[in-house]
C-alpha cells in the first residue's frame, strides 16, 4: 500500500475513535457537558473522515466533495471546544444559549460560504493541481473568509486556554488532571494546524484529533470527564452553609469554601495552595490531631473555637475520596455549626433544673396543704357542726349566722380535699381499680348523700336510669364525679328547683347526664370550661365559684382516666346539663361482669 492508503486508513480510524467518543457522550446526554462533547467529536469525525476521502480523491470534483464533508466539522470544532470549556468553568450559566448562538455566527457563515464557494470564491480562490506530490492532490489558494476563520479559531483557542489558567490554580489535584486533559485535547489539533503556516502542504489537523480522541477516552474512563466540573463544583461549595475543606492524599489542603474560611480564618491567610495541613491548622492543634488520627477511614469528632466572647461549636465529619479503583486520593472535611443547638441544650438543661426545683417546691407545698392546712380545717368543720347543733337547739339569735359560717368552712374543706385529689391524680398516686357496678344503685347512693343539702333549698332530686345499665368504673372516682356534678347543680339551682340524673347507652358506652333548671353557667366561665383549662381566675362569683369550677376540672380529669369524656350544654337562666361517658352495657350487672371475665380470659 502506498502512503495515500496508509494515511486514509489512519484518518478513517481517527474518525471511528471520534464516533466512539460521541457515542459515549450520547449515553450521558442528560449532562449539558456531554451534549457538547457529542457534537464536538461528531464534528471532528466529519473532519477526519472527509480528509481521508480527500487523500484518496483522484479528480477535482472528488476533491471538492471531500472538502464539503470536511466542512461539516471544520467550522464548528474549535467553537464547540470553547463552549465545553465555558460549561466546565461554569461561566454565564444564565446566558449560555445566547452565548452559544453568538459564538456560532462566524462558523455558520464559514460553512455557508464554503457550501457556495464556487459562486464567490470567498473561502478558496483557486485549486491548483499538485504536480510534485501525490498528497495533497490539489493545493488551495485561501480566500478572505478562510483567513477570517483561521484567526477566529486561534482566538477561540487562546481564550479557552486563558480561562483554564485561574481554573487550574483554584482546583484540587484530581480536577487539575481533567483541566490538563481538556486543554491538551484542544491544543493538539491547533498545534498541528499551525504547521500548515510553515509551508507544509499536508493538513495535519485531523491527526491532532486522533491525539485528542485518545486523551479524551482516557479522561472519560479514568477521571469521569463527562461528569465533574471543577469551577461549578467550587461555586457549589460556596453555596453550602457548612464548611467544606478538601484534603489530598498527602495531607495538603487543596480547596475550601467561604463557610470554612469563616470557621478557620487562617485558611484565607495562606498565599498559595495546596498548603500543608500542619501549617494551615497550626492555631487549631486539636482539629489537626483529629484529622491525623482518622487515618484513611471515616470519622466524626467535635471542634470548638472562641469567637470573641462566644464559644462556637462544630460537628466535624471526615470522609475519604475514592478513585474508580477504590483507592483513596483525599478527604473531605465538613464542619457543621451546631452552636445554636448547644446553646439551646444548655438553656433546656437550665429550664429542666428550674422546673425540677419548682416541682420539688410544689410537692412540699402540697405536703404542707395535706398536713398543716387540711387537718386544722377538718377540726374546724367538726367544731362548727357541734356548735351549730347546740346553737340551733338553744334557739340563740346568731344561730343562722353561725350556720353560714359552718357552710363556708365546709366549702373550704371540700376545696382542699378536691385540690389534694387532683394533685394525687397528676402524680399517679391514685390507684385506678375499675370494676362493674350497677349504675342505678350508684346514682341513688349519690342522691341520698346530696339529699340533705338539696332539702334545705327544697330541690327535687330524681333519677331515670334503666336498672339493667351497668358501668365499669373505679367506685371512688365515680362517686366523686357524681358528687361534684350534683353539688354544682344544687348550688346554682334556685329554691324549689329540680335536678334529674339520667343515662342512655350509646354503642359500647353509657352516657350519664345531670340536668338542672338553675341559673346556667356564665358565658365567660363556659368558654373557659370548653377550653379545658386546668385552673381559672375568679370571675363573677368569687371563691365559691372557684370551688365549683375546680370540682368540675377534677371530675373531668377522673372521666378521662376512665377513657371517657365530659361535656355540657347550658342556657343562662334556663339550666345546665352535664354529660359524661363510661364503658358500659345494658344487659344487667351479671351479664356485664361475665362479659368482662370472658374478655380478660381471652
Amino acid at each position: 500500500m502506498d502512503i495515500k492508503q496508509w494515511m486514509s486508513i489512519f484518518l478513517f480510524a481517527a474518525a471511528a475513535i471520534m464516533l466512539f467518543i460521541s457515542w459515549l457522550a450520547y449515553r450521558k446526554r442528560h449532562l449539558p457537558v456531554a451534549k457538547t462533547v457529542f457534537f464536538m467529536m461528531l464534528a471532528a469525525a466529519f473532519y477526519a473522515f472527509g480528509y481521508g476521502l480527500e487523500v484518496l480523491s483522484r479528480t477535482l470534483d472528488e476533491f471538492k466533495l471531500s472538502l464539503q464533508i470536511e466542512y461539516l466539522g471544520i467550522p464548528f470544532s474549535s467553537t464547540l471546544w470553547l463552549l465545553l470549556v465555558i460549561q466546565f468553568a461554569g461561566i454565564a450559566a444564565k446566558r449560555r444559549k445566547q452565548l452559544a448562538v453568538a459564538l456560532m455566527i462566524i462558523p455558520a457563515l464559514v460553512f455557508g460560504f464554503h457550501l457556495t464557494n464556487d459562486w464567490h470564491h470567498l473561502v478558496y480562490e483557486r485549486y491548483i493541481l499538485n504536480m510534485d506530490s501525490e498528497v495533497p492532490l490539489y493545493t488551495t489558494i485561501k480566500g478572505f473568509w478562510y483567513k477570517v476563520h483561521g484567526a477566529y479559531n486561534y482566538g477561540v483557542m487562546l481564550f479557552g486556554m486563558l480561562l483554564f489558567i485561574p481554573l487550574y490554580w483554584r482546583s484540587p489535584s484530581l480536577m487539575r488532571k481533567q483541566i490538563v486533559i481538556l486543554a491538551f485535547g484542544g491544543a493538539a489539533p491547533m498545534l498541528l494546524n499551525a504547521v500548515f503556516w510553515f509551508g507544509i502542504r499536508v493538513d495535519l489537523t485531523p491527526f491532532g484529533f486522533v491525539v485528542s480522541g485518545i486523551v479524551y477516552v482516557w479522561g472519560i474512563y479514568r477521571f469521569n470527564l463527562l461528569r465533574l466540573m471543577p469551577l461549578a463544583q467550587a461555586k457549589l461549595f460556596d453555596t453550602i452553609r457548612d464548611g467544606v475543606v478538601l484534603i489530598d492524599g498527602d495531607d495538603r489542603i487543596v480547596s475550601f469554601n467561604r463557610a470554612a474560611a469563616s470557621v478557620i480564618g487562617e485558611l484565607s491567610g495562606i498565599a498559595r495552595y495546596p498548603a500543608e495541613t500542619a501549617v494551615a491548622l497550626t492555631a487549631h492543634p486539636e482539629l489537626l490531631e483529629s484529622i491525623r488520627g482518622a487515618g484513611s477511614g471515616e470519622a466524626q469528632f467535635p471542634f470548638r473555637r472562641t469567637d470573641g466572647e462566644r464559644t462556637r461549636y462544630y460537628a466535624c465529619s471526615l470522609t475519604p475520596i475514592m478513585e474508580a479503583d477504590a483507592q483513596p486520593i483525599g478527604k473531605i472535611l465538613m464542619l457543621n455549626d451546631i452552636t445554636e443547638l448547644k446553646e439551646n441544650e444548655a438553656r433546656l438543661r437550665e429550664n429542666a433544673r428550674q422546673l425540677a426545683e419548682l416541682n420539688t417546691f410544689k410537692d412540699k407545698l402540697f405536703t404542707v396543704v395535706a398536713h398543716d392546712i387540711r387537718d386544722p380545717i377538718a377540726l374546724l368543720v367538726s367544731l362548727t357542726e357541734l356548735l351549730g347543733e347546740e346553737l340551733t337547739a338553744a334557739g340563740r339569735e346568731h344561730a343562722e349566722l353561725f350556720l353560714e359560717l359552718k357552710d363556708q368552712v365546709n366549702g373550704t374543706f371540700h376545696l382542699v380535699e378536691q385540690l389534694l385529689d387532683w394533685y394525687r391524680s397528676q402524680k399517679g398516686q391514685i390507684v385506678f381499680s375499675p370494676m362493674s357496678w350497677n349504675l342505678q344503685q350508684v346514682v341513688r347512693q349519690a342522691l341520698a348523700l346530696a339529699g340533705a343539702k338539696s332539702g334545705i333549698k327544697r330541690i327535687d332530686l330524681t333519677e331515670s336510669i334503666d336498672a339493667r345499665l351497668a358501668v365499669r368504673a373505679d367506685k371512688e372516682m365515680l362517686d366523686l364525679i357524681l358528687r361534684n356534678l350534683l353539688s354544682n347543680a344544687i348550688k346554682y339551682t334556685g329554691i324549689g328547683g329540680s335536678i334529674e340524673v339520667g343515662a342512655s347507652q350509646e354503642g359500647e358506652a353509657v352516657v350519664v347526664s345531670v340536668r338542672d333548671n338553675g341559673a346556667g353557667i356564665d358565658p365567660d366561665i363556659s368558654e373557659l370550661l370548653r377550653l379545658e383549662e386546668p385552673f381559672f381566675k375568679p370571675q363573677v362569683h368569687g371563691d365559691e365559684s372557684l370551688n365549683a369550677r375546680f370540682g368540675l376540672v377534677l371530675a373531668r380529669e377522673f372521666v378521662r382516666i376512665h377513657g371517657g369524656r365530659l361535656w355540657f350544654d347550658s342556657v343562662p337562666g334556663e339550666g345546665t346539663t352535664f354529660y359524661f361517658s363510661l364503658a358500659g352495657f345494658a344487659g344487667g350487672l351479671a351479664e356485664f361482669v361475665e362479659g368482662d371475665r370472658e374478655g380478660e380470659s381471652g
Side-chain angles (χ1 to χ4, degrees), residues 179-384:
I179 295 172
V180 170
I181 290 171
L182 281 178
F184 186 78
M190 296 309 296
L191 289 175
L192 292 178
N193 179 266
V195 177
F196 216 26
W197 300 96
F198 293 95
I200 297 179
R201 296 181 179 181
V202 178
D203 186 3
L204 301 178
T205 306
F207 299 98
F209 281 113
V210 176
V211 177
S212 299
I214 295 172
V215 170
Y216 285 157
V217 169
W218 179 63
I220 289 170
Y221 282 103
R222 186 69 175 83
F223 301 109
N224 204 6
L225 185 65
L226 295 178
R227 184 172 294 274
L228 296 179
M229 293 181 289
L231 191 55
Q233 193 172 54
K235 289 183 178 180
L236 177 62
F237 283 173
D238 286 337
T239 64
I240 297 176
R241 295 181 62 183
D242 294 340
V244 182
V245 180
L246 295 180
I247 304 172
D248 65 13
D250 297 324
D251 276 340
R252 297 180 304 171
I253 295 177
V254 295
S255 184
F256 57 88
N257 65 350
R258 281 194 289 263
S262 66
V263 176
I264 307 172
E266 293 78 11
L267 294 176
S268 301
I270 297 177
R272 187 170 180 178
Y273 283 92
E276 294 293 334
T277 309
V279 176
L281 302 179
T282 303
H284 306 283
E286 70 282 2
L287 180 60
L288 180 61
E289 186 64 27
S290 298
I291 294 173
R292 288 177 172 174
S296 59
E298 295 187 6
Q300 289 80 35
F301 48 86
F303 169 63
R304 65 179 181 179
R305 67 180 181 88
T306 302
D307 185 9
E309 297 181 355
R310 188 183 186 188
T311 300
R312 304 198 70 89
Y313 298 88
Y314 300 89
C316 303
S317 62
L318 196 65
T319 305
I321 304 173
M322 300 293 184
E323 275 192 307
D325 55 359
Q327 292 296 319
I329 59 173
K331 305 172 185 176
I332 297 179
L333 174 64
M334 301 283 293
L335 300 106
N336 180 21
D337 192 342
I338 57 171
T339 304
E340 291 188 7
L341 179 62
K342 286 286 187 180
E343 291 175 348
N344 289 336
E345 287 179 356
R347 284 192 288 268
L348 287 174
R349 284 194 295 268
E350 177 61 21
N351 291 339
R353 184 190 64 79
Q354 294 178 1
L355 183 60
E357 291 180 355
L358 289 174
N359 281 331
T360 302
F361 173 75
K362 180 193 69 176
D363 293 342
K364 292 180 180 178
L365 177 62
F366 275 96
T367 302
V368 170
V369 171
H371 297 283
D372 297 346
I373 296 180
R374 180 186 178 280
D375 293 345
I377 294 177
L379 180 59
L380 283 174
V381 171
S382 300
L383 290 175
T384 53

Side-chain angles (χ1 to χ4, degrees), residues 463-533:
E463 59 86 9
S464 57
I465 298 176
D466 191 331
R468 297 176 300 167
L469 281 179
V471 295
R472 184 169 177 79
D474 183 286
K475 182 62 165 57
E476 292 185 3
M477 291 187 182
L478 181 56
D479 288 342
L480 185 143
I481 294 168
L482 291 170
R483 185 169 65 247
N484 276 304
L485 294 180
L486 289 171
S487 176
N488 286 339
I490 292 170
K491 184 173 297 183
Y492 295 107
T493 300
I495 296 174
S498 64
I499 298 174
E500 180 184 5
V501 180
S504 63
Q505 184 182 2
E506 295 184 7
E508 297 181 355
V510 171
V511 177
V512 183
S513 62
V514 179
R515 178 180 291 105
D516 66 65
N517 60 354
I521 300 176
D522 181 270
D524 293 334
I525 298 175
S526 176
E527 185 65 26
L528 290 173
L529 283 172
R530 295 186 194 280
L531 292 174
E532 299 188 351
E533 295 290 340

Side-chain angles (χ1 to χ4, degrees), residues 72-142:
L72 291 173
I74 288 177
F76 308 106
S77 56
S78 59
T79 304
L80 289 168
W81 178 83
L82 178 61
L83 288 174
L84 179 65
V85 174
I86 290 172
Q87 287 177 319
F88 193 86
I91 298 172
K94 294 183 179 180
R95 301 286 183 179
R96 190 72 51 76
K97 291 183 179 180
Q98 294 88 332
L99 180 60
V101 170
L103 290 174
M104 284 294 176
I105 291 176
I106 290 182
L109 289 174
V110 171
F111 175 78
F113 287 142
H114 183 269
L115 192 63
T116 58
N117 186 70
D118 288 344
W119 300 349
H120 45 67
H121 305 289
L122 291 175
V123 179
Y124 295 112
E125 294 181 355
R126 287 179 297 160
Y127 303 94
I128 301 174
L129 183 63
N130 189 359
M131 305 298 295
D132 300 330
S133 175
E134 294 183 352
V135 180
L137 180 62
Y138 285 89
T139 300
T140 56
I141 305 300
K142 278 67 177 179

Side-chain angles (χ1 to χ4, degrees), residues 484-485 488 529 548-557 566 578:
N484 276 304
L485 294 180
N488 286 339
L529 283 172
R549 280 176 278 136
F550 191 80
L552 292 177
V553 172
L554 186 60
R556 184 181 62 207
E557 188 66 28
L566 184 147
F578 274 89

